[in-house]
Amino acid sequence: MSIPVEISDVEKVGTIFMSPFWEKKMSLIASARQLVHYTSAENAIRILTDKKIMLRSTVCMNDYSEVQHGHTLIHRCFYENSGELFNAFIEAFEKIFPGAAKIAFDNYDRHFKEHAFRTFIACLSEHDEQSDDLGRLSMWRAYSHGSTGVAIVLNKTPFHALATHFFGFFASPVLYLREEQIKQYLRSIISRATEERAYLVKLGRDRVINSIFVMLMFSSICIKHYGFEEEREWRVIYLPALVNSPFMSQETVTIGGIPQIAYKLSLQDHPADGLVGIEIPKFIREIITGPTNFPFPIHEALADALGKAGVVNPHSILRPSTIPLRT
């Protein structure tokens, strides 16, 4: 079951502990931008047929080094200069709940050492209206895996519910930060915690410990090298070593000859739990196919799969990218 929370608390905690992530979430909600999933045409057919989106372990993806990158940067920023920033962070929270920050750091260190490879993600990207005709060439090249690429443009509305309900999985923007920007982010937490001491005391010791832990966890998972900024990535994240979600199912799949555990999110609404809008007729706004020698058979296959998934007039939401095909 999902756990409703007060939106005021979600916003307040978000602005204290994860302000750049929160600001990016709110920016997407307030804009005309949507989220898009770049994948191969083959996998797009599988998503439409199975009505599931797969989350893979970062160990088996090209993103694994980026999870290590975020963890390494956070660790370095805290502990360089004889741990000056770490000590300032601990001291700020000692004045609120003695020992709380140290517990959160210990919990994070233990989880990362034991379960970092049990981080499962699906990758999305922010999508502007002007990308409808082309998609983004860099993304076709990165995620089509040498075959015809497909961009599944999603309705972002269901992601709003993740701010007010707990489903056991999460959606977060990726930040592309340099070291000094990360230090500024961490210093801002110290400053905001000091300003909001009375609020945090009222929030309670356990919530404060959990908020620090979540900040560390999401910073390690969702801070990437600034050289990847053009990807404008979002991640759907599942951490089964921490929490189970009734909306996820475990499967063993073989990809590129490598057997591996994966989790799949069923594209089925659960109105009683507040999870709505993820069924295919509502969730998929359009599908853009990348440059290909085979536009007709691919469009026909996609239209057939969309129709069987309940989309009325599926050809109306299919469009080819107008990027010329290189031969």
Side-chain angles (χ1 to χ4, degrees):
M1 295 290 291
S2 64
I3 304 172
V5 295
E6 292 294 331
I7 185 61
S8 58
D9 274 347
V10 172
E11 180 176 3
K12 190 85 166 181
V13 170
T15 58
I16 293 172
F17 291 95
M18 303 182 68
S19 58
F21 291 97
W22 183 260
E23 289 167 7
K24 203 166 184 180
K25 282 185 179 183
M26 294 301 102
S27 174
L28 178 71
I29 290 173
S31 73
R33 301 189 303 276
Q34 300 295 335
L35 293 172
V36 60
H37 180 51
Y38 281 88
T39 187
S40 66
E42 178 184 5
N43 190 51
I45 294 292
R46 187 178 301 114
I47 291 170
L48 296 173
T49 302
D50 296 345
K51 300 182 180 63
K52 295 178 180 179
I53 289 182
M54 181 165 61
L55 286 74
R56 296 176 60 196
S57 169
T58 53
V59 174
C60 300
M61 302 174 70
N62 60 358
D63 296 276
Y64 180 62
S65 63
E66 294 308 315
V67 174
Q68 291 285 358
H69 176 80
H71 169 77
T72 299
L73 278 182
I74 290 292
H75 189 275
R76 184 188 304 158
C77 290
F78 265 126
Y79 292 106
E80 68 179 12
N81 298 325
S82 301
E84 178 182 343
L85 191 51
F86 174 77
N87 292 333
F89 194 98
I90 294 293
E91 182 180 352
F93 284 93
E94 283 293 300
K95 298 175 181 177
I96 302 169
F97 291 113
K102 183 65 166 57
I103 291 172
F105 274 87
D106 289 345
N107 289 345
Y108 167 74
D109 287 340
R110 182 166 53 254
H111 175 83
F112 192 87
K113 290 174 183 176
E114 297 176 0
H115 301 296
F117 64 94
R118 294 191 179 97
T119 300
F120 295 84
I121 66 172
C123 299
L124 308 174
S125 178
E126 290 194 12
H127 180 81
D128 297 313
E129 288 182 340
Q130 58 263 37
S131 297
D132 282 350
D133 291 336
L134 300 177
R136 301 215 302 278
L137 182 58
S138 61
M139 299 298 285
W140 296 129
R141 289 171 171 169
Y143 293 100
S144 60
H145 307 294
S147 61
T148 298
V150 165
I152 305 175
V153 183
L154 305 173
N155 180 352
K156 68 186 177 186
T157 303
F159 295 91
H160 302 178
L162 295 174
T164 55
H165 288 73
F166 177 71
F167 300 114
F169 64 93
F170 314 90
S172 174
V174 167
L175 301 180
Y176 305 90
L177 304 178
R178 291 167 168 82
E179 281 193 38
E180 187 51 44
Q181 292 172 306
I182 295 174
K183 292 176 184 176
Q184 291 173 2
Y185 162 39
L186 298 176
R187 292 188 193 108
S188 74
I189 298 173
I190 296 171
S191 176
R192 291 282 284 131
T194 301
E195 294 170 358
E196 299 289 352
R197 179 181 176 184
Y199 171 78
L200 293 175
V201 169
K202 183 180 177 181
L203 193 66
R205 181 183 179 87
D206 289 345
R207 283 286 299 276
V208 168
I209 291 172
N210 184 63
S211 297
I212 298 171
F213 174 84
V214 169
M215 178 276 293
L216 293 169
M217 181 63 63
F218 275 77
S219 295
S220 69
I221 296 172
C222 295
I223 291 179
K224 291 182 69 171
H225 192 281
Y226 53 85
F228 294 100
E229 188 167 8
E230 67 174 350
E231 293 183 351
R232 301 166 65 189
E233 185 178 348
W234 280 62
R235 289 177 168 178
V236 180
I237 303 164
Y238 184 44
L239 303 168
L242 284 179
V243 61
N244 290 317
S245 172
F247 309 108
M248 292 286 180
S249 60
Q250 178 181 313
E251 296 186 22
T252 298
V253 299
T254 300
I255 301 174
I258 302 173
Q260 56 196 266
I261 297 285
Y263 285 86
K264 292 188 177 181
L265 171 62
S266 176
L267 299 180
Q268 179 180 354
D269 285 354
H270 297 269
D273 296 304
L275 184 59
V276 295
I278 66 169
E279 292 184 351
I280 285 177
K282 293 175 286 186
F283 196 33
I284 295 181
R285 292 171 59 91
E286 64 180 359
I287 297 180
I288 308 169
T289 54
T292 178
N293 282 319
F294 309 101
F296 181 76
I298 290 173
H299 271 231
E300 286 301 293
L302 287 169
D304 181 65
L306 283 166
K308 290 176 179 176
V311 176
V312 178
N313 192 14
H315 283 282
S316 67
I317 66 168
L318 290 170
R319 65 180 71 225
S321 172
T322 57
I323 297 175
L325 178 66
R326 286 181 173 175
T327 59

